[in-house]
Amino acid sequence: MKTVVLPQLGGPEQLRIVEVATPEPGPGQVRVRLHASALNRRDVWITFGQYPGMKLPCTTGSDGAGVVDQLGPGAPPEWLGQEVMLYPAYDWGANPRFPSPSFRVLGMPDPGTFADYICVPASHVFPKPAFLSWEQAAAIPLAGLTSWRALVTQGAVQAGETVLVTGIGGGVATFALKWAVALGTRAFVTSGDEAKLEQARQMGAAGGVNYRADDWDKQLAKLTGGVDVVIDGTGGAAFKGCFAVLKPAGRLVIYGATAGNPPTGLEMAKLFFRQAHIIGSTMGSPEEFAAMLRFVAERRIEPVIDQVFPFDQVVAAHQRLLAAQQLGKIVLRHG
């Protein structure tokens, strides 16, 4: 089979497509013939060695959708021939509040989805909603689940509340906006790109501001009247502004820190007088994945896809993600 391999560090240009033996499913596993996969920021970080637990060579990719074509010993027979999506991680564990010490995302060190085939536990495949294309189905898992847990589980968002999603354009932020709109909230966004702000409005955002403005947080406070839930994956200098726009008892949910740590601390008095909540969030459990897919099927939600690349253009796909040009998910079409 064909698979994408990272033999050494140095950026996306080091990725290679090679022929390897097709894997055989082990006990309790199924083998999935992948029709599409999708990129996440972690895939680019790995090519530069900017991810914990690096092991080379590796095949990355956490998102995938395809058809179960072979069963391992003890795997449920009803999965054979089914169109499925993959839960993008291993070993969440029994506690829904946080993952186990062995929790890890699919793709490095375990073989990932940038390949023709992948073997995973049967418990990690879920039926693909029939109305989704292969590319749409592959776009959902990691970013969809990360934003679902941040907004629904950790943020406990309710219809009618006001939500801020920072840095619209990336996969997680774009899904967070999708969920927020579908759940009946007033959703606002930030971006450094006016075109992305307009695209977000077309997706249902009530408005947005350009975070490059010195007073972006004041503009947002005036526009929204205050925010109940902030979903932030940026951190950095904008973190203080995110906290400043929170209403009393507001929730600031952090799922990433692409801009690093905030340069200054919080105003502690505002934190306790406002009864504010600052909550960390990452990925999600298989149960949350199932709940998210039920919501997708019930509401017929289609993900935002920025661009679909043929499998053999995997380097170009990674370069587009690295340049942060996209709004939505970047997808690979297999075969």
Side-chain angles (χ1 to χ4, degrees), residues 97-124:
R97 295 173 59 196
F98 55 86
S100 75
S102 59
F103 175 78
R104 59 203 185 277
V105 177
L106 182 63
M108 204 298 295
D110 304 278
T113 57
F114 298 157
D116 287 337
Y117 295 87
I118 188 170
C119 296
V120 297
S123 58
H124 284 45

Side-chain angles (χ1 to χ4, degrees), residues 38 63 85 128-129 131-145 147 170-172 174-179 203 292-293 296-297 299-308 327-331:
D63 295 333
M85 298 165 59
K128 178 182 82 68
F131 73 94
L132 295 177
S133 70
W134 289 116
E135 292 79 13
Q136 290 173 323
I140 293 175
L142 190 148
L145 179 58
S147 56
V172 177
T174 304
F175 271 110
L177 175 59
K178 276 277 187 179
W179 306 144
M203 290 169 55
M292 175 191 71
L293 291 184
V296 167
R299 304 296 181 93
R300 297 185 69 85
I301 294 175
E302 297 182 4
V304 178
I305 294 179
D306 173 78
Q307 191 168 339
V308 177
L327 190 142
K329 292 287 290 185
I330 295 172
V331 177

Side-chain angles (χ1 to χ4, degrees), residues 314-328:
V314 63
V315 172
H318 280 70
Q319 289 170 332
R320 180 168 178 79
L321 185 58
L322 178 61
Q325 298 169 328
Q326 86 285 2
L327 190 142

Side-chain angles (χ1 to χ4, degrees), residues 41-42 139 167 197 266 270 284 300 329 332:
R41 182 65 61 177
R42 79 181 294 270
L197 290 174
L266 293 173
K270 287 185 177 179
R300 297 185 69 85
K329 292 287 290 185
L332 295 177

Side-chain angles (χ1 to χ4, degrees), residues 20-113:
V20 300
T22 301
E24 297 292 325
Q29 289 189 328
V30 299
R31 187 175 72 187
V32 179
R33 172 71 169 95
L34 290 161
H35 286 258
S37 58
L39 278 66
N40 293 284
R41 182 65 61 177
R42 79 181 294 270
D43 300 312
V44 173
W45 288 339
I46 287 171
T47 68
F48 290 102
Q50 298 172 346
Y51 204 83
M54 288 293 305
K55 292 184 180 180
L56 298 180
C58 67
T59 295
T60 54
S62 308
D63 295 333
V67 176
V68 175
D69 81 322
Q70 189 171 325
L71 305 176
E78 60 268 21
W79 280 118
L80 189 62
Q82 295 298 308
E83 297 183 350
V84 298
M85 298 165 59
L86 305 181
Y87 171 67
Y90 288 106
D91 295 346
W92 178 272
N95 194 326
R97 295 173 59 196
F98 55 86
S100 75
S102 59
F103 175 78
R104 59 203 185 277
V105 177
L106 182 63
M108 204 298 295
D110 304 278
T113 57

Side-chain angles (χ1 to χ4, degrees), residues 171-193:
V172 177
T174 304
F175 271 110
L177 175 59
K178 276 277 187 179
W179 306 144
V181 170
L183 287 164
T185 74
R186 293 174 66 237
F188 294 82
V189 300
T190 66
S191 176
D193 185 329

Side-chain angles (χ1 to χ4, degrees), residues 50 73 111 119 141 156 185 197 218 220 234 236 250-251 265 277 284 297 303:
Q50 298 172 346
C119 296
T185 74
L197 290 174
K218 294 182 177 61
L220 192 68
T234 305
R251 291 89 76 196
H277 301 251

